[in-house]
Structures are given as C-alpha cells and as structure tokens.
Amino acid sequence: MSPVIEEHARARLITDGPLTRPVPVDLRYDPADERRTVHIGLPDGTDWAFGRDLLERGLRTPIERGAVRVWPCGRTQLIVELHSTDGVEVFQFEIRTLIRFLARTHRTQTPGASPDAGGTPPPPSRTTRPDTSRTTHPDKGAEQERGAQPAHG
C-alpha cells in the first residue's frame, strides 16, 4: 500500500464582489489510485480530480483541460478556475503551497514504477464526497470516491 499525501491548505475564493474570502481546501494524491492524478477537495464536499501535470504547467503558463483552467498570477499566486453545470468557481493559491505539495507527490512513487508511467492522465472530473470523508481514514475516503458519480447540483 502506498502512502496517501494529503495537505490541508487555504485558498482565496474569488467572487464578483469586491472581497475575496479564504476557504480551506484539501490537496490529495494517492499513487495507488492514479500516479498522476491530484485532487482538490472543496469545503462544500466537491472533489475535483485532474492530472498533476495540469498544476505543474499552470505554474509557468496558462493551460486549460476540459473544465479546469490554471494560470500563474504574478510570481506568488496561481489561479485555478473550475467550471461545472453549477457555474464557475475561481480560487487563488499561494504558489509555494502547490510547489511543496507537488514535490511531495514526486517523492512518493509506487515501488518499481517510473514517476510518469501510466499513459495519459485522466480528464478532469468533479465528484461529491460523502459527508463522512473528513472523518474517515484517507484510504477509506479514496475507496468511497472511486465509486462516486459526477455531481450535478
């Protein structure tokens, strides 16, 4: 069993109004699930999964894949824009938080596997986490998420 990397972070939710607000997010990576997939868990129970390379490339240049857009904002911020049938959510992250998280994902590899083996990363997906996911063991939460269907509201 490979170790799950989970990091609790803060992002700023960007809105149409004059103020942004900080929100807690969970960054998660499970090498046993998909070695190149990262998850961003939002406070409302939504989980976005997409290729680790999307975040890595977004640190340097704007990139879009499916419903996810990522781009650098100055030297210290990264914008992650998530599109769904419910609308658009825009989050601003500290780049150093994401660099630290991504570095940890590269240090944790399945024994005998090359860091980027596994073919093309899956397309971005959005699921709703069970209410109990914050109180369960990360491995159990990952098992529950694998069976989840995309949320529509």
Side-chain angles (χ1 to χ4, degrees), residues 1-6 28-34 39 108 130 132-147:
M1 176 165 78
S2 58
V4 173
I5 295 172
E6 190 164 30
R28 192 172 51 79
Y29 173 78
D30 182 356
D33 183 16
E34 276 290 332
H39 296 260
T108 305
T132 59
S133 66
R134 292 198 183 270
T135 58
T136 61
H137 186 274
D139 290 339
K140 290 180 184 175
E143 289 172 10
Q144 292 170 347
E145 280 181 18
R146 286 186 194 113

Side-chain angles (χ1 to χ4, degrees), residues 99-130:
I99 289 174
R100 181 178 58 240
F101 171 72
L102 290 168
R104 289 179 65 200
T105 71
H106 282 284
R107 288 192 301 264
T108 305
Q109 298 295 330
T110 304
S114 66
D116 290 323
T120 305
S125 64
R126 176 179 182 243
T127 59
T128 303
R129 296 178 306 209

Side-chain angles (χ1 to χ4, degrees), residues 2-83:
S2 58
V4 173
I5 295 172
E6 190 164 30
E7 190 166 316
H8 304 290
R10 293 197 76 69
R12 296 202 68 78
L13 177 62
I14 309 298
T15 65
D16 291 338
L19 300 176
T20 62
R21 65 180 173 100
V23 294
V25 295
D26 293 321
L27 305 172
R28 192 172 51 79
Y29 173 78
D30 182 356
D33 183 16
E34 276 290 332
R35 285 189 307 277
R36 296 184 342 176
T37 300
V38 294
H39 296 260
I40 295 179
L42 303 177
D44 66 358
T46 301
D47 182 82
W48 282 87
F50 47 87
R52 175 174 63 187
D53 68 312
L54 190 65
L55 280 182
E56 292 172 334
R57 287 172 150 180
L59 291 169
R60 297 182 306 277
T61 186
I63 184 168
E64 177 180 354
R65 186 174 299 138
V68 179
R69 294 179 183 152
V70 181
W71 68 91
C73 181
R75 293 189 296 207
T76 62
Q77 304 293 317
L78 183 79
I79 304 296
V80 177
E81 183 177 290
L82 307 168
H83 293 254

